[in-house]
Amino acid sequence: MSDFTTRFAPSPTGPLHLGHAYSALLGHDMARAAGGRFLLRMEDTDLQRSKPEWDALIRKDLTWLGIRWDGPVLRQSVQLSTYDSYLARLDDLGLLYPCSCSRADIRAALSAPQEGQPHEVYPGTCKSRPMSDRKPGDALRLHLDRALTRLESNLPRFTETGATHRGSHEIDPAQAQAEIGDVVLSRKGEDIVAYFLASAIDDTRQDITHVIRGEDLFDFTAIQVILLTLLNLPVPVYHHHGLIRDENGKRLAKRDDARAISTYRAEGKTPADIRRMVGL
């Protein structure tokens, strides 16, 4: 078996749709073609929205599609304390600060970014607060300026194999500050860890060599590469694929229940039909 290892990492907050099917099938196909491993991870750090019934449906849909994963399913919700050790390492480096801004804004910032929902760069309202001033309910943000200064002699790089952004990329500090800013990494008291951190850490813990996901996440790969480099962790190869869109060119989302895989299955469609529908 080769060392090629990838994963499909949905959030169990709704049904899988055609876009999910495309990403899962593509990753599965690439792993099997390389003689490698395909893992399944449930990114369920949002304990309020993640439901066991969605988890079960996702696994049922994937099995029906002919996807077989290697080893047990990793669920982020059962290892929340694991991420604390990495936050502590960033704190030791002086790269975190507490934030008491809007609860709704912070919750939104903890989730994976969505196409069509522009990322708002944090204006730095709490940036001058020291960690000693952290209060119950405060979030933790990455002090990006300090992080980039620490890395200025060795700017992070990553390799992209997708068709659109293929090649080697060096993180542009000015672009990162202008487009990403000081992202939220966790919120105390709610046991929520940000997508940016949890996903990157788990890719390392699962020995993921290739991250295969939608191109809507390409612009946020930089922050994960920065975090991995700060923590002296390996940076995987990234492959950002095109998105499955509706007749109006809009990216499919979980709210598009009419395109849910379970709906197609109930209508009598076959896995081969789904492959044709997504261009595989």
Side-chain angles (χ1 to χ4, degrees):
M1 180 175 288
S2 78
D3 62 358
F4 185 110
T5 302
T6 191
R7 81 298 194 273
F8 180 57
S11 298
T13 57
L16 295 187
H17 54 64
L18 288 175
H20 294 121
Y22 176 67
S23 192
L25 287 166
L26 179 63
H28 189 260
D29 288 355
M30 290 176 68
R32 297 307 179 223
R37 302 171 69 233
F38 178 85
L39 307 182
L40 177 60
R41 179 167 78 222
M42 293 293 178
E43 298 196 333
D44 57 353
T45 57
D46 188 337
L47 303 182
Q48 292 185 13
R49 297 176 59 228
S50 297
K51 304 295 181 184
E53 55 266 34
W54 293 128
D55 183 310
L57 181 60
I58 288 171
R59 288 181 285 115
K60 182 177 181 179
D61 286 343
L62 293 175
T63 300
W64 177 76
L65 286 168
I67 290 173
R68 302 292 181 267
W69 51 91
D70 300 298
V73 178
L74 183 144
R75 291 179 174 80
Q76 293 180 331
S77 59
V78 301
Q79 55 169 24
L80 292 176
S81 61
T82 299
Y83 308 117
D84 291 342
S85 63
Y86 293 96
L87 286 167
R89 288 167 63 178
L90 293 172
D91 185 20
D92 290 342
L93 294 173
L95 301 179
L96 301 180
Y97 64 88
C99 176
S100 58
C101 292
S102 163
R103 181 180 295 263
D105 288 345
I106 289 173
R107 280 193 68 86
L110 287 163
S111 302
Q114 300 292 323
E115 186 186 49
Q117 297 178 7
H119 172 72
E120 295 185 8
V121 177
Y122 181 62
T125 307
C126 295
K127 194 161 191 155
S128 62
R129 290 179 60 193
M131 284 294 285
S132 59
D133 187 45
R134 190 182 186 190
K135 298 176 174 59
D138 280 353
L140 289 180
R141 287 186 181 272
L142 175 70
H143 197 303
L144 186 60
D145 297 355
R146 292 178 187 167
L148 291 170
T149 297
R150 187 176 185 84
L151 296 173
E152 62 185 359
S153 62
N154 182 31
L155 288 176
R157 304 185 66 89
F158 67 96
T159 300
E160 164 66 37
T161 63
T164 304
H165 305 285
R166 182 182 297 272
S168 178
H169 298 264
E170 183 177 84
I171 303 301
D172 182 330
Q175 185 177 7
Q177 289 176 326
E179 299 180 0
I180 299 174
D182 296 353
V183 295
V184 174
L185 296 183
S186 76
R187 184 180 183 89
K188 191 173 184 179
E190 293 187 15
D191 287 328
I192 300 178
V193 180
Y195 160 81
F196 296 112
L197 180 64
S199 181
I201 295 302
D202 284 335
D203 284 339
T204 293
R205 286 167 53 82
Q206 291 188 288
D207 297 321
I208 301 301
T209 62
H210 292 72
V211 172
I212 301 167
R213 60 190 182 188
E215 63 185 5
D216 52 324
L217 293 174
F218 176 81
D219 290 340
F220 294 90
T221 297
I223 194 63
Q224 292 190 302
V225 173
I226 288 171
L227 288 169
L228 290 171
T229 305
L230 287 168
L231 293 166
N232 293 317
L233 298 174
V235 176
V237 173
Y238 292 88
H239 182 100
H240 294 88
H241 57 72
L243 305 177
I244 302 299
R245 301 178 182 275
D246 63 18
E247 58 275 8
N248 297 314
K250 184 179 179 182
R251 169 188 175 274
L252 297 184
K254 287 183 179 176
R255 59 184 171 272
D256 297 303
D257 287 356
R259 296 178 177 82
I261 300 305
S262 55
T263 300
Y264 288 117
R265 185 171 65 249
E267 292 174 348
K269 293 289 194 297
T270 68
D273 292 329
I274 300 300
R275 278 187 168 273
R276 283 192 292 270
M277 292 169 72
V278 299
L280 292 173

